[in-house]
Amino acid sequence: MGGSYDFEGTEPAVHDEARVSREATLVGDVTVAADASVWPGAVLRGDVAPVRIGEQSHVGDNAVLHGATVGDRVMVGHGAILNDAAVGHGALVGFNATVNTDVTVGEDSIVAAGTVIPDEYEIPPESFARGVPARVTPLSDTEVDARETFEEFSSGAYTDLAGRHGELFE
């Protein structure tokens, strides 16, 4: 496992079947569930609030999660920032997206790459959020094929990929 640091007596907890890169940093009250992965450069900081990563969820390279909750089967893209935010099951947060304080991303939603979601915003389930600041549209009102998108970035494929990396996750 990567850099794992105690904060005021609380240490990160990583399930035996999770994969955390040795180049990732976990601090304090952080939990990573089974079949999840945390990739190089990611920082999960559970000092002011817990960080929870659900089963089969994946936190991409250089993402920063500070006091965030990520449900099951969630993809957090490279460089994404989640600050005191919650992401529902089956959602996808794109590359370099910023999910600000007290934001909730509903289940099975997509946050496009580069999107900035303002503080205290609630994205309903099965929505598509994009832009700066974010505009939210029901997925059913877009031309985005959610099933195709989720399959392309499926957490199962990432679980397999993490397992194939060997030294990266030792």
Side-chain angles (χ1 to χ4, degrees), residues 7 26 48-49 54 59 96 113 119-120 127 131 150 155 169:
F7 180 76
L26 281 61
V48 298
V59 178
N96 295 311
D119 290 353
E120 301 178 4
S127 293
F150 288 120
S155 58
F169 291 98

XYZ file of all heavy atoms in Angstrom, residues 7 26 48-49 54 59 96 113 119-120 127 131 150 155 169:
110
model
N -3.604 10.076 11.663
C -3.947 11.443 12.033
C -4.738 11.385 13.330
O -5.820 10.804 13.387
C -4.770 12.150 10.952
C -5.141 13.569 11.323
C -4.189 14.572 11.260
C -6.415 13.866 11.761
C -4.516 15.875 11.630
C -6.754 15.168 12.126
C -5.800 16.166 12.063
N -2.646 8.261 1.765
C -3.868 8.144 2.558
C -3.566 8.649 3.955
O -2.577 8.225 4.574
C -4.321 6.687 2.629
C -5.066 6.106 1.426
C -4.247 6.122 0.168
C -5.538 4.692 1.742
N -10.294 16.314 8.433
C -11.419 17.104 8.941
C -12.747 16.363 8.808
O -13.715 16.698 9.479
C -11.527 18.490 8.262
C -10.273 19.311 8.549
C -11.762 18.371 6.780
N -12.795 15.352 7.934
C -13.964 14.484 7.748
C -13.474 13.188 7.106
O -12.428 13.174 6.457
C -15.010 15.174 6.865
N -16.126 3.189 -1.892
C -16.956 1.993 -1.931
C -16.366 0.866 -2.745
O -15.347 1.018 -3.428
N -10.250 5.426 -7.916
C -9.813 6.815 -7.796
C -8.581 6.957 -8.679
O -7.541 6.369 -8.404
C -9.496 7.167 -6.326
C -8.999 8.596 -6.223
C -10.732 6.945 -5.447
N -10.252 15.852 -14.170
C -10.097 17.243 -13.745
C -11.401 17.940 -13.371
O -11.466 19.171 -13.386
C -9.347 18.064 -14.806
C -7.927 17.578 -14.961
O -7.210 17.406 -13.984
N -7.530 17.324 -16.186
N -15.707 15.776 -17.841
C -14.341 16.245 -17.601
C -14.315 17.768 -17.545
O -14.982 18.442 -18.328
C -13.418 15.754 -18.714
N -20.460 24.955 -4.579
C -20.818 24.498 -3.233
C -22.321 24.258 -3.104
O -23.131 24.970 -3.721
C -20.431 25.552 -2.189
C -18.932 25.693 -1.994
O -18.173 24.886 -2.565
O -18.531 26.614 -1.266
N -22.651 23.267 -2.275
C -24.021 22.988 -1.849
C -24.977 22.688 -2.999
O -26.165 22.986 -2.936
C -24.558 24.136 -0.992
C -23.725 24.373 0.246
C -24.200 25.540 1.084
O -25.242 26.147 0.749
O -23.524 25.837 2.077
N -28.222 11.970 -13.968
C -28.061 13.287 -14.575
C -26.716 13.400 -15.268
O -25.799 12.619 -15.007
C -28.151 14.383 -13.503
O -29.445 14.447 -12.964
N -19.739 21.732 -17.665
C -19.524 23.169 -17.762
C -18.977 23.803 -16.502
O -18.790 23.163 -15.474
N -20.747 4.035 -19.160
C -20.403 3.259 -17.975
C -19.645 1.988 -18.352
O -18.720 1.590 -17.652
C -21.641 2.929 -17.152
C -22.208 4.119 -16.433
C -23.504 4.547 -16.677
C -21.454 4.835 -15.514
C -24.018 5.652 -16.031
C -21.958 5.946 -14.860
C -23.257 6.349 -15.117
N -16.105 -0.226 -13.784
C -15.237 -0.507 -12.658
C -14.686 -1.926 -12.718
O -13.610 -2.195 -12.229
C -15.962 -0.244 -11.341
O -17.134 -1.019 -11.257
N 1.078 -1.713 -7.116
C 0.168 -1.808 -5.980
C 0.742 -2.632 -4.831
O 0.008 -3.070 -3.972
C -1.175 -2.367 -6.432
C -1.935 -1.418 -7.317
C -1.906 -1.558 -8.687
C -2.647 -0.388 -6.769
C -2.593 -0.677 -9.497
C -3.341 0.507 -7.568
C -3.312 0.349 -8.942
